[in-house]
Amino acid sequence: MAEPERNYDEVDEVLLWLAREPDGDPLADLAMLRTNVRRVAASAGQRRRQVLEQFGGRALDICGRFRPRLLAASLPLPREQHAAAGMLAETLLEIVAGIGALTERSDSAPRRAPAGELAALQGLASALLGEGFIVGAMAAAAPPAGLWRAAHALGAADGSFDAVPHGEAGSLPDQALHYRRLLAVAAAQPESFSARELSWLFDYLGMVAGFARLSATVIEPRQLAYWLDPLKDAAPAAFARRPPPDDARLLYASFAELAQQVSERIAWLEARMVDFEVSGAESEVELLVADDSGLPVGLTPTETLSILRRLRDRWAAPPLREQPRRQHQYAVQVCIGLRSMWELGRGRREQGRVVEWLVLNESPGGYAIMSVAGVQGSIAAGIALALRRESSQPWSVCIVRWVRSDNPDQFELGLQIMSQSYTSVQIGFRGSEMRTTVPALSLPVLEAVRRHSAILAPAGTYVSRRFVLVRESEHLYVAQGRALGLDMQTANVELFQYETDPYPI
């Protein structure tokens, strides 16, 4: 006897789609996911939990395939990728909202899922929020509206703060760890990291987020702590930068113990790098693949040390804005990238290297600028950039401290001034694997900032104390310099002070 024909409803069709292999193109898969999430948003009935769990699993799979595309891309992102990053973050938030409606409870309505299922759903929702935040940050975009409010609702409802030793990650539920990771990323100022660094940071915090402290009472000393309002759609704020309101019920966070963990990893890695130099191992990768490293792979040891040092400084003490900013609107000329700046200093033509941007505000130590005619070249936090108001003025050398872009055609950059002028030179370090000199910028003494001349060079150039400096002008100038220590390092450039060595070896 033939089986009666079954009438499939929308939920059945969506479940059949979820059961099939994902599309090879994560963007096509994302488009279908977004369509299906909205298709069954209010019609799943008793199967709502099953559908939401599978939506969450598919969303995490898409994130895992989309994030590597952001790693390989450079800012400004292609319009399709920028739109996809925003769509993915919004879709994740829609799934979280569905989970929230499923797990909510009130005096008249008990929990709609047993405790174990409830914890699993809340852990999934927290993981989705973390992915939504990091994808947006890697695209240099602000988190979608509602993300922080949803994260606070899950984190505050967890109730694990002040109840367990915060360093014992295994004793915390998944949603508590995901929430602490999100808070720690926000406190590290994600707009100041490149996409590769952000992805590495997110993975690293997956290992150590339990050391972030969350409390219902004020954490002392307040100058090193953060406050957050669970009812607001806002990231945690540092006491040192903005006082909390008096009429709100707040939570408090501290990342001092995370900073201590980072300090231990820095000491371990520095010691391993010394051993590496002594042993003559063939590849630096060996330093980071050991079982006892406690560090993700994906960055070179030099890059890893750079990001760990910045994390230690920011988690140990929130950065302060020491100088007032003044609002302005005037056009400036900009040259992006150390190589382009070096070529300008060598007398190369400006066409194709110099573009116009708009100053939004300025302080004695830096600027905030916005693109007004599109973006030429590759943008990333940590690159070098030259700026001047008119062609009769010398170029100011700046480092890009943060990048924001909610529109692929518009960028905002935060700049720190490193020098009011520069000279193009070439340098070569003793002991370097490179047998040729590399382009660099020689910066003069900057009163109240540094007492010696400095070199701005590509990251990884500084490998020993002594180096050779070559400057070509009307006459060839060759000297031996002695580095006085690394002052600053980003993923792209590094700066160190030096003095001319009167006793060359």
Side-chain angles (χ1 to χ4, degrees), residues 232-266:
K232 301 293 185 181
D233 188 25
F239 275 92
R241 301 195 69 166
R242 190 168 80 241
D246 296 327
D247 57 347
R249 187 173 181 178
L250 306 176
L251 294 178
Y252 306 92
S254 170
F255 308 100
E257 290 195 29
L258 261 178
Q260 178 59 37
Q261 292 296 310
V262 169
S263 295
E264 294 175 6
R265 292 298 89 201
I266 290 173

Side-chain angles (χ1 to χ4, degrees), residues 51-376:
V51 173
L52 287 169
E53 284 180 334
Q54 294 195 41
F55 278 156
R58 179 61 65 87
L60 292 176
D61 174 75
I62 293 172
C63 289
R65 291 182 289 143
F66 182 66
R67 267 213 272 163
R69 294 193 175 192
L70 294 178
L71 290 177
S74 59
L75 298 175
L77 289 177
R79 184 172 295 275
E80 182 185 29
Q81 279 195 335
H82 190 281
M87 181 190 300
L88 179 54
E90 291 174 1
T91 303
L92 294 171
L93 200 57
E94 290 179 17
I95 299 172
V96 169
I99 293 175
L102 184 66
T103 59
E104 67 183 2
R105 61 181 300 185
S106 64
D107 294 337
S108 60
R111 286 179 177 171
R112 303 178 187 178
E117 294 181 3
L118 178 66
L121 285 169
Q122 291 174 330
L124 174 61
S126 296
L128 294 172
L129 288 173
E131 287 289 342
F133 183 88
I134 205 67
V135 164
M138 291 173 70
L147 185 144
W148 275 112
R149 182 178 285 109
H152 295 327
L154 285 166
D158 168 69
S160 63
F161 47 87
D162 287 337
V164 297
H166 44 272
E168 297 179 5
S171 63
L172 291 169
D174 287 346
Q175 73 186 86
L177 290 172
H178 291 313
Y179 185 50
R180 283 162 172 75
R181 174 163 67 173
L182 192 58
L183 296 176
V185 172
Q189 299 181 330
E191 64 274 13
S192 66
F193 292 96
S194 67
R196 288 179 65 241
E197 290 175 325
L198 282 169
S199 184
W200 186 95
L201 169 59
F202 201 62
D203 293 339
Y204 175 61
L205 279 169
M207 306 175 183
V208 298
F211 288 96
R213 184 179 176 189
L214 186 64
S215 176
T217 57
V218 176
I219 299 174
E220 300 291 350
R222 297 190 183 195
Q223 292 79 5
L224 306 183
Y226 291 75
W227 60 270
L228 56 98
D229 187 341
L231 300 181
K232 301 293 185 181
D233 188 25
F239 275 92
R241 301 195 69 166
R242 190 168 80 241
D246 296 327
D247 57 347
R249 187 173 181 178
L250 306 176
L251 294 178
Y252 306 92
S254 170
F255 308 100
E257 290 195 29
L258 261 178
Q260 178 59 37
Q261 292 296 310
V262 169
S263 295
E264 294 175 6
R265 292 298 89 201
I266 290 173
W268 179 90
L269 185 53
E270 288 176 338
R272 288 295 298 269
M273 291 182 75
V274 172
D275 293 342
F276 166 80
E277 292 177 1
V278 172
S279 65
E282 295 183 359
S283 173
E284 283 192 345
V285 176
E286 298 173 20
L287 296 174
L288 298 182
V289 297
D291 292 338
D292 60 345
S293 72
L295 298 167
V297 296
L299 300 178
T300 67
T302 300
E303 291 172 325
T304 302
L305 272 178
S306 173
I307 187 175
L308 287 176
R309 287 166 178 156
R310 281 176 278 156
L311 291 174
R312 176 189 59 191
D313 294 343
R314 291 173 190 178
W315 283 336
L320 297 177
R321 182 175 295 115
E322 299 177 352
Q323 299 168 326
R325 293 187 293 184
R326 300 182 296 275
Q327 300 298 317
H328 287 285
Q329 278 203 2
Y330 60 86
V332 289
Q333 297 176 352
V334 170
C335 177
I336 297 172
L338 189 147
R339 180 76 190 198
S340 294
M341 296 162 63
W342 182 81
E343 291 173 348
L344 280 184
R346 300 262 291 185
R348 303 287 179 86
R349 61 193 180 96
E350 296 182 0
Q351 185 177 356
R353 295 181 177 88
V354 178
V355 293
E356 187 175 277
W357 286 58
L358 182 70
V359 168
L360 300 178
N361 61 65
E362 64 176 318
S363 72
Y367 301 89
I369 64 174
M370 182 177 68
S371 62
V372 293
V375 177
Q376 298 181 21

Side-chain angles (χ1 to χ4, degrees), residues 355-430:
V355 293
E356 187 175 277
W357 286 58
L358 182 70
V359 168
L360 300 178
N361 61 65
E362 64 176 318
S363 72
Y367 301 89
I369 64 174
M370 182 177 68
S371 62
V372 293
V375 177
Q376 298 181 21
S378 179
I379 300 287
I383 66 170
L385 176 152
L387 177 149
R388 68 186 181 188
R389 190 160 186 173
E390 55 187 42
S391 58
S392 62
Q393 296 179 334
W395 290 102
S396 293
V397 178
C398 304
I399 297 296
V400 176
R401 285 306 185 190
W402 51 261
V403 181
R404 296 176 187 148
S405 175
D406 292 326
N407 183 316
D409 296 324
Q410 182 173 300
F411 268 79
E412 291 185 29
L413 306 180
L415 308 179
Q416 179 182 354
I417 298 174
M418 309 305 296
S419 176
Q420 300 292 351
S421 63
Y422 72 90
T423 302
S424 295
V425 298
Q426 298 178 70
I427 61 172
F429 273 87
R430 292 178 179 267

